[in-house]
Structures are given as structure tokens and as C-alpha cells.
Amino acid sequence: MKFYRSMFFKIIVGTFLAVFYSGLVFVFMFFVILSGLPDVSKIENLMPKLSSSIYDSKGNVLYTIFEGENREKVSISEVSKYLIDATVTAEDENFFSHYGLDLKGISRAFLSNFFGVGVSSGGSTITQQFVKNAVLSSEKTYERKIKEAALALNLEMNFSKDEILEFYLNEIPYGNNAFGIKRASKQYFDTLPAHLTLAQSVVLASLPKAPSSFNPYSGNLHSRLVVDLDNNPFKGRVILDQKDLFDNEYIVGLIGTNVEISEGQKVWISGRSDFILDKMYENGLINLAERSKAYLELESIVFQKYKEEIKYPHFVFYVMSELEKIYGNDFLRTGGLSIYTSIDPDVQDFVENMASSRRSSVLRSAGADNMAILSVRAKTGEILAMLGSFDFFDENIDGNVNVVFRPRQPGSSFKPFVYAKAFLNGLSPSSRIYDTPMKIASKYPQNFDGNFRGEMSVRTALGQSRNIPAIRAYYLAGEESEIVSFVKKLGINSLRDDFDYGYPLAIGSGEVSLFEMVSAYSVFANNGEKIPISGINYITDSEGNVIYQRNKSSVGTVLDPAIAFLINNILSDRSSSIGGNLFVPGKITAAKSGTSTKRSKGYGAVRPGDLWTIGYSPSYVTGVWIGNTDGKGLNYSAEAYYTASPIFSAVMKELMKNDSLEPFPIPSGILPIWVSKKSGLLPAKETPKTERVLEYFAKDYFVQKVREIYKEPKVVLEKEIMGQ
């Protein structure tokens, strides 16, 4: 057989032709994509002058992100060398040696994104970042990346490195409406770029990566632990430095700090600024003395007071942070964006005014200096009100920290999840459970009142928030691993799989955030469906085109509707609850309070630590947290029911003031059955009707109840009592 007739020859020719024609198609597409790009030799084409705005649900402006108006240009010769070196170190170490593209970085990103090899560190150079910010959008498409690469190469051919760096430093956002290095230098340090110290330079060079996340006026100024040391999170582990901590145990802030991990032992957690400072030293840009001096300055660095006009700052910064996570830090400032949020100004104003009016009484009665509130529309997940603290601008309580997202111990407000999991294992509201002394290892768990009430129904145990029955339900629910896995499906992700919580998890020892608790309670309100919570409804570009639309639909059923109904029915049952503070007069609501306890440093004795109330109707969900910002214990008499619950009730009353009565729907998987009040079993024929109660059971998890043996109660005569 001649070679040109062989199958091997045909394969070679076929492969060659395929590659050839594919190449032609690629070249054609490449030129099509590049057509219409601006002429980068004319720098005026690269400077946008539009601004973006964030709106509430009624169209009122909450915050405007300026483009050209809040920018002051500066020459590269008027910028501190420290700032130049810090910026290049942070964003593009090879800036002065490449031609606009970092081929090694592109290769790393390609291998990571497509083959999962290595860690992606991004492939965008300073030149690429500039053209993307100045000309292109932030959409993550191959077409945009090709345009970005072509413009970067073109820019490098038309301008020097110093000119490109000058364009970049005048263009990039540093957060809080400070665009360009001159404006940022004035806003944060009240100085000119030429006078920036090394410490100030590494701080400013840290901001463009994520201006909202590293915002010095937010809660992430310093790196910090997000675990409660009173919960002994490092038991059995040797923690010598930051590498010995798990990623979910700390948050990297703008500036590093020493954090106490145990009595007398501290660990340094680096910040974004420290990383840049160390990298500059490794690259020979600064000497050891300069680095040491900068570290000392960072410890006590002072920022200018925040002066910008902003409405609902906690919510606005939350929105900006969410956009950064989804689209990157330059999304907001591509020009002319309108971000329409779900925040209801009437509800938000009510929440803020109420919090302000009750601040002194909360401090006086509970010994608490802070409060957080989150309200959402259950059926859509829209955030209606978000209060991150009593006062964003109060430095004494770290007011700029949004406590809605800070993990705390939820106390008894966690119990409904334990019982819901136990219901999946066959427990029911009428099941008998014992509130009697018990010993676990060497410990004797107690109820909040120090008393025991004997045998009772699960309905009563949950409604009355008894600790001992909840601990027994913990074991019926499958214990720690099954409960942690269960609540993650509902939206609680702060709990760790590798942490030994033990039975205290049942009474709220695991740290979770208010945002997570509201998310998980929303599953109850939505009959088992999980609808993501968000504050952003839609976004339009400068021409009014909708470029983002939030999907308000459910992501699926994560809890059997019948089980959700059982929890709804118990928590809305006023007859078995601890009192009226958990309810809204004339409306149907379900709620649970929780008071965590802790042995706080400086007090010695165990005190209340966090006061919670989370509740809902079929339409709204509201969570309230009250406590001290620094985590110290509250007054001995502090209770969530008397402090957090009335606030919950007031907010829900405002939300529901124009709504008609809305009961929780009964799903098809529910069985209504008459049972004996005394035993929880099917009543005997002799059981009087007055001793029977209608109870609900989940059909798929219903365990056939046996019929009780009824005995007439013995009538004790007065003479028998007197011994006659």
C-alpha cells in the first residue's frame, strides 16, 4: 500500500487541515473582536467621567461613586518612590520587564482554571488593569480578555512605563470615592503623594485589590480571629504562628496584629499591608531598618476621619463588598452604573430610630453596648433592613463593624435546628422527653433557671426552651456531625466539621452569624425551600440596559415541608411559649429567643454573653442580636426575652402593619391526630375529651403510636389528707 493511501497519512493530512482551518477561523474572530477598539494613543479616550450610584427600593440615592468629579491628577514625579515600589510589588512585580502581558501569570491562571493545577494568582498586569478599568467592562469573557491583551500591547508601544504607571495611579479606585493616588493620599492621610511614608504607601497599595474588603473605616482594618476563645477552639492543637490556624478561623485585614489565642500566648496574623512590606524587603526595594520602622508605624497609624455623605453605611458597604466578590474590585467604577437594592427606607429608618431610642435602656438593663438587626422578605430573600451596629461612626464600639456578619454564640435560638433534625429521625411534637438531671462524662448540664420539670412533651420543651430536653434531642438527632451537616444545607456555614462541639452545640455553643441564622430561619418560613438572601435587585449600565438581575427563585427544597411545618407550629404556639414578647399582637408569627453564656475575661464568673431573637411570619424574617462589641459578658440579669425579643416584635409589627392575617400553610405530608395530653399516645376509649389534644405529625416520619392505658385519677378526700 502506498503511503499517501495509508490511514496514517490520512490522519496526518486531516489533522493538518483541521488545525489550518481552525487557525483561519481564530484569526478571523480575533480581528472581528478587535475591530472598533479605541485608539490608545489618544489618552483622552481612556478616561471615563461617569459615576455609579446605589439606590434604595424607592429610587433614593444612598451613595454615589464618583468617577471624574472626585479625582485629582498627579505627575509620576510627584509620587513617593515608596508608593511606586509598593504598588508594583502588590500588583505586578514584573511591570518594568514585560511588554504589557505577564505570560507566566497567564500560564498559571490557565493551568489552574482549566486543569486545577497550582493556585491561580491572576494574569493581569498593571497595563491590563488600566485598560480594563479605563475602557472595558468587568465581564469575564474570552472576548474581553483578548481585547484587554491587545489594548495592553498597543499601550506599551505608545507610552513609556512611567507614563503607564502614571495613568494607572491616577485611575484606580482606593475606596470611599477616592479615585487616584492624590485623592486617596488626602482622604486617608491628609498629605500629598510625594510625602507618603513607607507605612502609608503599603496601606494605600493594599486597597486597590479589594477597596471595600480592606476599607480602613470598616471592620477589617486589622486582621482578627473569628472564633470565640471562651469556647476553647484550639484544644489539643499547637498554635505557634499563623500557618497553624485554619483559614476559617481568621480574617486577613488591612493591617496585621497580634491576637491572643490563650492566656499569655499571642500569634501574629499578617495583614495585606504586611504582605506587601515583606515582599518589598525580599525583592531588595527596602532594607531591614526601613521595614522595621514601617512595622512600628503601622501599629499606630492614624487615618483621617471619615467625612463622606452616605446613607445606611453598613448596608452600602455590604452591597459594594458583594459586588467585589462577584465581579472584582473595578466593577462599580466602570462608569454610569445604577445599582438598585432591596432596602426599604421606611423600614430601615424605623429600625435605626428604634435602635437609637432604646440604646441607653439596653446598656442600662443588659450592660450591652451594641445591637444588630436584619430583616428580609421571606419569599424573595430581599433585605429590607440591615443595622450593623448602634452607630457606624461610633469608634468606642467599633461601630463600623457590621455585626450582622460577625459569628457569635446563638444560645437557645439554635435549638429549633436540633429538634428539626430529630424530627427527621422520628421524634414528634407529642413525644415525651425528660427534663431531669443527667450526667455526661464529668459534667452536669443545667437549665437556665437551675430547675428540672420532669417528663414533658417535645412541644413544651422547645416552647419553654428547656436545655436538658434539647441535649437529649441532640443525641436523637444524630449528634454533632449530622447536625452540622444538616444546618449547612439551611445556610449556616460557620460551624466547622472538624471541631469537637459535643452536646453544648444543642444549646448554642457554636458560633454563627446573624446573617446565617436569618437565612436558616427563612427555610422554616418558606416551608423547607431555600431562597438566597441578597440586597441587590438589579443593575443597569449607562444606557439603561440591565446587566444584572438577581434570581429571586428558590434554589430547591432543603428541608421536608412537613418538618418545617412542625417547627413553625411549635414556635407560633403561644400556649407553650415563654411569653408574649415573642409575638406580634393580632398576627401569626413564630420566634425563638436565645441567651448565650460565657466566662468572660475580667469577670471570672459565668455571665450572659449574647442576646438573640430570631423569628418570622410566612412573609418576613427578622433577627436581633444584642451584646458587647468586645465580647465581654453582660449583666447577670440580662435575658434575650426581655431585651432582644421586644425589639424583634416591634420590627415585625412594623413590617406586618398593613398585612392581613397569614397562617403558616399545612403541607400534604402532615397528619393531624388526637393524642392524650398526659402520655402523648393515642387516647384510650376511657380518656376524657378534655384530656385529649390535637397534635401534628409528619406522615413520612410518623411512628405508629400505641394506645395509652387510661386510669381514672384517684380522688383524695380531705380526711385522707388530714390523716383521719
Side-chain angles (χ1 to χ4, degrees):
M1 180 183 295
K2 293 183 178 181
F3 177 73
Y4 65 85
R5 292 182 179 177
S6 67
M7 181 61 70
F8 180 68
F9 175 77
K10 293 178 180 178
I11 291 175
I12 292 177
V13 173
T15 302
F16 173 79
L17 291 174
V19 172
F20 176 75
Y21 286 116
S22 296
L24 287 178
V25 172
F26 175 78
V27 171
F28 174 76
M29 291 179 63
F30 185 80
F31 281 104
V32 169
I33 289 173
L34 296 185
S35 63
L37 289 182
D39 181 1
V40 297
S41 65
K42 298 179 180 179
I43 195 62
E44 62 270 15
N45 293 336
L46 305 180
M47 293 298 179
K49 296 181 180 179
L50 299 175
S51 60
S52 296
S53 295
I54 298 176
Y55 299 88
D56 65 24
S57 63
K58 295 188 177 181
N60 304 306
V61 176
L62 301 179
Y63 188 59
T64 297
I65 305 158
F66 295 98
E67 280 291 331
E69 295 86 347
N70 207 24
R71 184 195 312 278
E72 297 178 63
K73 294 182 181 179
V74 66
S75 168
I76 192 71
S77 62
E78 300 175 287
V79 178
S80 164
K81 187 178 184 304
Y82 284 139
L83 189 281
I84 293 173
D85 289 342
T87 299
V88 172
T89 299
E91 300 296 334
D92 185 2
E93 287 186 272
N94 300 315
F95 173 70
F96 289 104
S97 60
H98 62 60
Y99 296 98
L101 303 178
D102 181 1
L103 298 181
K104 290 184 178 179
I106 293 173
S107 299
R108 287 194 301 267
F110 179 81
L111 290 173
S112 175
N113 294 335
F114 286 90
F115 300 103
V117 178
V119 179
S120 175
S121 57
S124 292
T125 64
I126 281 178
T127 315
Q128 288 176 276
Q129 290 180 50
F130 171 68
V131 297
K132 179 177 65 174
N133 290 346
V135 181
L136 304 173
S137 69
S138 299
E139 57 179 346
K140 297 180 180 180
T141 64
Y142 292 113
E143 179 180 342
R144 198 269 293 167
K145 293 297 290 184
I146 292 173
K147 290 180 178 180
E148 177 187 301
L151 284 171
L153 291 171
N154 199 352
L155 195 71
E156 292 270 350
M157 289 188 291
N158 282 276
F159 298 96
S160 69
K161 288 290 186 180
D162 281 349
E163 287 175 316
I164 293 172
L165 193 55
E166 182 178 305
F167 299 157
Y168 177 81
L169 291 174
N170 280 302
E171 172 71 13
I172 56 175
Y174 288 89
N176 298 301
N177 272 346
F179 289 89
I181 189 59
K182 187 171 184 179
R183 184 65 192 176
S185 299
K186 285 185 177 181
Q187 178 154 317
Y188 293 117
F189 299 119
D190 193 25
T191 190
L192 294 173
H195 301 152
L196 289 169
T197 66
L198 174 57
Q200 292 171 336
S201 295
V202 294
V203 165
L204 293 181
S206 301
L207 296 177
K209 181 179 178 64
S212 295
S213 297
F214 293 121
N215 183 357
Y217 304 122
S218 72
N220 288 337
L221 173 58
H222 292 97
S223 299
R224 56 185 170 83
L225 289 174
V226 291
V227 293
D228 189 345
L229 294 180
D230 293 325
N231 206 24
N232 197 13
F234 307 124
K235 183 179 180 181
R237 291 163 55 192
V238 178
I239 309 295
L240 300 178
D241 56 36
Q242 184 176 340
K243 292 183 292 186
D244 298 320
L245 297 171
F246 298 123
D247 290 343
N248 61 354
E249 292 179 329
Y250 66 92
I251 289 177
V252 174
L254 180 61
I255 299 172
T257 188
N258 267 316
V259 297
E260 187 175 49
I261 62 170
S262 63
E263 190 70 34
Q265 184 184 4
K266 292 185 177 181
V267 165
W268 177 264
I269 300 181
S270 295
R272 171 73 173 161
S273 301
D274 310 303
F275 169 79
I276 298 173
L277 191 61
D278 291 343
K279 201 70 176 174
M280 291 176 70
Y281 174 70
E282 291 174 16
N283 293 344
L285 297 171
I286 56 173
N287 58 39
L288 183 60
E290 288 175 305
R291 186 179 74 161
S292 300
K293 181 181 178 181
Y295 262 116
L296 287 175
E297 185 180 342
L298 283 173
E299 289 182 9
S300 57
I301 198 163
V302 176
F303 293 90
Q304 287 288 99
K305 295 289 185 181
Y306 189 78
K307 303 174 182 177
E308 192 173 11
E309 287 296 322
I310 183 171
K311 198 170 186 182
Y312 314 149
H314 285 117
F315 176 74
V316 166
F317 285 127
Y318 152 74
V319 167
M320 294 174 66
S321 179
E322 288 299 293
L323 289 173
E324 280 183 3
K325 292 176 185 176
I326 299 171
Y327 296 103
N329 64 356
D330 58 326
F331 181 70
L332 286 173
R333 41 100 43 233
T334 54
L337 298 181
S338 295
I339 300 97
Y340 295 93
T341 73
S342 59
I343 204 78
D344 186 320
D346 295 332
V347 179
Q348 181 70 26
D349 288 343
F350 174 86
V351 166
E352 293 192 358
N353 292 335
M354 182 195 59
S356 178
S357 66
R358 301 198 185 198
R359 184 174 183 176
S360 59
S361 64
V362 166
L363 179 62
R364 183 176 60 255
S365 62
D369 64 17
N370 215 344
M371 177 190 295
I373 299 173
L374 179 64
S375 291
V376 305
R377 195 181 303 279
K379 293 179 174 64
T380 62
E382 295 169 288
I383 294 175
L384 302 175
M386 176 185 286
L387 181 78
S389 71
F390 271 130
D391 184 354
F392 180 89
F393 300 100
D394 188 344
E395 296 179 358
N396 295 323
I397 61 168
D398 290 335
N400 50 28
V401 175
N402 192 340
V403 190
V404 167
F405 297 97
R406 177 164 284 189
R408 298 280 186 160
Q409 292 181 328
S412 294
S413 63
F414 190 79
K415 289 175 182 175
F417 306 122
V418 177
Y419 281 103
K421 183 63 177 67
F423 287 161
L424 289 169
N425 291 352
L427 201 68
S428 67
S430 74
S431 297
R432 313 314 284 176
I433 199 162
Y434 291 89
D435 184 11
T436 54
M438 64 187 303
K439 180 181 179 181
I440 303 175
S442 60
K443 297 183 178 181
Y444 296 85
Q446 298 292 316
N447 289 304
F448 66 92
D449 60 2
N451 299 320
F452 302 96
R453 300 184 184 178
E455 181 184 347
M456 62 179 58
S457 69
V458 165
R459 176 180 292 274
T460 300
L462 176 55
Q464 293 289 314
S465 197
R466 307 301 292 172
N467 287 348
I468 304 304
I471 293 170
R472 289 193 159 97
Y474 163 85
Y475 291 102
L476 296 172
E479 302 184 48
E480 177 183 312
S481 62
E482 290 195 27
I483 294 172
V484 170
S485 176
F486 170 69
V487 297
K488 282 187 176 181
K489 296 177 182 177
L490 307 186
I492 295 178
N493 297 304
S494 293
L495 297 179
R496 287 167 36 191
D497 296 317
D498 58 351
F499 190 80
D500 184 18
Y501 295 102
Y503 74 84
L505 179 64
I507 51 179
S509 66
E511 293 180 310
V512 298
S513 70
L514 181 61
F515 188 89
E516 291 176 313
M517 289 291 281
V518 170
S519 298
Y521 268 73
S522 295
V523 174
F524 293 143
N526 287 312
N527 307 305
E529 286 189 274
K530 184 178 180 181
I531 297 176
I533 293 177
S534 176
I536 306 169
N537 282 342
Y538 67 97
I539 302 171
T540 62
D541 62 17
S542 59
E543 297 180 355
N545 301 310
V546 176
I547 60 174
Y548 171 83
Q549 181 79 54
R550 183 170 70 89
N551 185 0
K552 301 178 183 179
S553 62
S554 167
V555 298
T557 299
V558 296
L559 178 64
D560 190 306
I563 301 300
F565 173 78
L566 295 182
I567 296 296
N568 298 344
N569 187 255
I570 294 174
L571 296 185
S572 62
D573 185 352
R574 302 186 184 217
S575 65
S576 63
S577 76
I578 59 175
N581 285 351
L582 293 172
F583 302 97
V584 177
K587 304 292 183 180
I588 297 176
T589 56
K592 184 73 187 72
S593 62
T595 303
S596 71
T597 56
K598 63 194 310 178
R599 190 179 299 278
S600 296
K601 184 177 180 181
Y603 290 118
V606 173
R607 290 183 177 228
D610 303 279
L611 310 178
W612 299 69
T613 298
I614 321 286
Y616 53 97
S617 70
S619 294
Y620 305 101
V621 186
T622 292
V624 177
W625 170 88
I626 293 173
N628 282 318
T629 304
D630 60 8
K632 287 184 179 179
L634 307 174
N635 294 343
Y636 283 115
S637 59
E639 286 187 29
Y641 175 76
Y642 295 108
T643 309
S645 297
I647 294 172
F648 156 80
S649 179
V651 175
M652 288 294 284
K653 181 180 179 181
E654 175 68 15
L655 288 167
M656 305 172 70
K657 63 183 180 182
N658 296 321
D659 294 355
S660 57
L661 197 66
E662 185 180 14
F664 291 104
I666 302 177
S668 59
I670 286 293
L671 293 174
I673 299 176
W674 288 94
V675 298
S676 168
K677 288 182 181 179
K678 182 178 181 181
S679 66
L681 303 175
L682 297 177
K685 292 182 179 180
E686 299 81 12
T687 305
K689 290 184 178 180
T690 55
E691 293 299 313
R692 304 181 185 193
V693 64
L694 185 66
E695 190 54 273
Y696 295 97
F697 298 85
K699 182 179 180 181
D700 293 340
Y701 309 95
F702 174 65
V703 178
Q704 182 63 44
K705 297 287 180 181
V706 297
R707 196 174 296 277
E708 72 171 0
I709 300 175
Y710 180 76
K711 293 182 179 179
E712 285 285 348
K714 181 180 179 182
V715 178
V716 181
L717 302 178
E718 185 179 352
K719 63 180 180 180
E720 292 177 341
I721 297 175
M722 301 298 294
Q724 299 178 359

